[in-house]
């Protein structure tokens, strides 16, 4: 029982990272029906901004995370304006191919500029400590990741539900034409959505650096795909669904690694995607509208 509880603790911290990345996927899809496959690579950019903030400027982990979030928020807006906005009225497949192209562009630009090798987060930035609670071993990095992710999710929920910007985002998601008639700037709302989603991905990137202690230019591929699975699992376009899906994916991955074989954890994650698409394509919280992609 103690081992099972330990796996849950590990799964919650990993799931919090997936949930943050999944929120960006689901927010963008909810607004413009685009699967932004470059989202995982924006996370990678955020991880490197955090890394250089720590190593070059000697900041603490919280300042590094804020710097990564601000940088990637601007980055996300630029990507939306340059790559996605001209294709907004095009077919979905055109936008999807563009998203894949942006993803590859970011990865190989990072390899060209930074090199393909891994870089280690400085140990002094976040000294690892272990706490024993009722026989459980809880690392301070797990607490940092989980608490930071939950705080950011609560802030996002507040923005969506109680601010003017959040109301505009919900209005554009529900009916873009009606939102325009009500005086809402669709372009501005979409840009803000990309900024928020990219900032959350950047925070997740810094958390991945703390969690695994390394960063590299291709680090966004697998976490990005797993976060996409989490978004689909919870119901793509539904914010609470992305949160739940992220935690489910984190718990599932740690259980497979702990009780099975860690080599199978990626296969299980994508197996879940296949099952959910076969059984309930709209996800846990989604409603089947009969829409065909």
């Amino acid at each position: 029982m103690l081992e099972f509880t330990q796996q849950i603790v590990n799964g919650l911290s990993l799931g919090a990272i997936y949930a943050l990345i999944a929120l960006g996927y689901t927010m963008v899809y909810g607004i413009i029906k685009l699967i932004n496959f470059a989202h995982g690579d924006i996370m990678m950019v955020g991880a490197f901004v955090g890394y250089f903030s720590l190593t070059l400027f000697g900041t603490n982990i919280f300042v590094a995370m804020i710097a990564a979030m601000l940088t990637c928020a601007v980055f996300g807006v630029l990507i939306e304006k340059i790559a996605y906005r001209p294709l907004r009225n095009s077919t979905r497949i055109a936008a999807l191919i563009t998203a894949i192209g942006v993803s590859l562009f970011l990865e190989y630009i990072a390899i060209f500029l930074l090199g393909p090798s891994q870089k280690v987060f400085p140990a002094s930035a976040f000294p690892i400590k272990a706490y024993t609670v009722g026989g459980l071993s809880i690392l301070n990095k797990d607490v940092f990741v989980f608490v930071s992710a939950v705080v950011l999710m609560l802030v996002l929920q507040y923005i969506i539900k109680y601010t003017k910007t959040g109301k505009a985002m919900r209005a554009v998601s529900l009916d873009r034409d009606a939102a325009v008639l009500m005086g809402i700037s669709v372009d501005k709302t979409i840009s803000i959505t990309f900024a928020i989603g990219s900032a959350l991905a950047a925070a997740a990137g810094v958390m991945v650096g703390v969690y695994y202690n390394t960063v590299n230019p291709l680090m966004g591929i697998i976490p990005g795909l797993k976060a996409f699975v989490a978004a689909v699992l919870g119901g793509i376009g539904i914010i609470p669904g992305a949160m739940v899906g992220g935690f489910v994916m984190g718990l599932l991955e740690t259980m497979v690694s702990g009780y099975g074989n860690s080599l199978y954890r990626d296969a299980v994650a994508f197996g879940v995607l296949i099952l959910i698409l076969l059984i309930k394509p709209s996800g846990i919280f989604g409603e089947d509208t009969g829409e065909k992609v």
Side-chain angles (χ1 to χ4, degrees):
M1 184 63 185
L2 184 62
E3 182 182 355
F4 179 77
T5 307
Q6 183 70 62
Q7 296 297 338
I8 290 178
V9 171
N10 297 337
L12 287 176
S13 57
L14 182 59
I17 295 173
Y18 289 151
L20 278 183
I21 307 172
L23 284 170
Y25 277 113
T26 208
M27 287 172 65
V28 170
Y29 185 85
I31 296 288
I32 59 174
K33 298 296 183 289
L34 167 69
I35 303 297
N36 181 19
F37 277 119
H39 195 62
D41 297 293
I42 293 174
M43 182 207 79
M44 175 269 294
V45 173
F48 272 103
V49 171
Y51 167 80
F52 286 117
S53 177
L54 293 169
T55 55
L56 296 182
F57 301 103
T59 63
N60 60 45
I61 195 66
F62 296 104
V63 174
M65 182 178 290
I66 293 172
M69 293 176 70
L70 292 175
T71 302
C72 285
V74 175
F75 210 67
V77 172
L78 290 176
I79 289 174
E80 190 275 327
K81 286 187 176 181
I82 296 171
Y84 298 145
R85 186 172 296 182
L87 298 173
R88 192 173 296 167
N89 297 320
S90 300
T91 61
R92 290 191 186 183
I93 192 66
L96 179 62
I97 292 172
T98 301
I100 295 172
V102 172
S103 174
L104 293 172
F105 176 78
L106 293 177
E107 290 167 13
Y108 287 98
I109 282 292
I111 290 174
F112 177 76
L113 295 176
L114 306 172
S117 60
Q118 290 188 341
K119 292 178 172 51
V120 179
F121 254 53
S124 59
F126 198 90
I128 302 300
K129 297 179 181 179
Y131 305 97
T132 302
V133 180
L136 292 175
S137 178
I138 301 177
L139 299 178
N140 60 340
K141 68 177 182 179
D142 293 325
V143 176
F144 166 75
V145 167
F146 182 78
V147 172
S148 299
V150 169
V151 169
L152 289 173
M153 290 178 199
L154 291 175
V155 170
L156 175 64
Q157 282 292 86
Y158 176 81
I159 291 173
I160 295 297
K161 288 190 174 182
Y162 300 108
T163 67
K164 186 177 180 180
T165 298
K167 292 177 182 178
M169 291 166 65
R170 284 184 282 145
V172 173
S173 176
L174 185 64
D175 191 325
R176 188 184 304 182
D177 294 333
V180 172
L181 293 175
M182 296 300 294
I184 295 172
S185 173
V186 173
D187 287 342
K188 181 181 178 181
T189 302
I190 293 173
S191 292
I192 291 173
T193 302
F194 269 85
I196 294 174
S198 299
L200 293 177
V206 176
M207 292 178 192
V208 169
V210 171
Y211 195 83
Y212 292 110
N213 203 36
T214 59
V215 294
N216 68 81
L218 301 180
M219 64 179 285
I221 299 175
I222 296 300
L225 290 174
K226 289 182 179 178
F228 170 66
V229 174
V232 174
L233 176 62
I236 190 76
I238 302 172
I239 288 177
M243 297 179 188
V244 172
F247 284 113
V248 170
M249 287 299 298
L251 290 169
L252 181 64
E253 183 170 325
T254 54
M255 290 301 173
V256 171
S257 299
Y259 292 101
N261 190 322
S262 61
L263 295 175
Y264 299 147
R265 62 184 184 180
D266 293 344
V268 170
F270 299 117
V272 168
L273 175 62
I274 294 171
L275 286 176
I276 199 69
L277 290 175
L278 289 173
I279 298 171
K280 196 174 188 295
S282 57
I284 297 172
F285 293 94
E287 296 181 1
D288 188 4
T289 61
E291 180 183 5
K292 302 296 182 181
V293 178

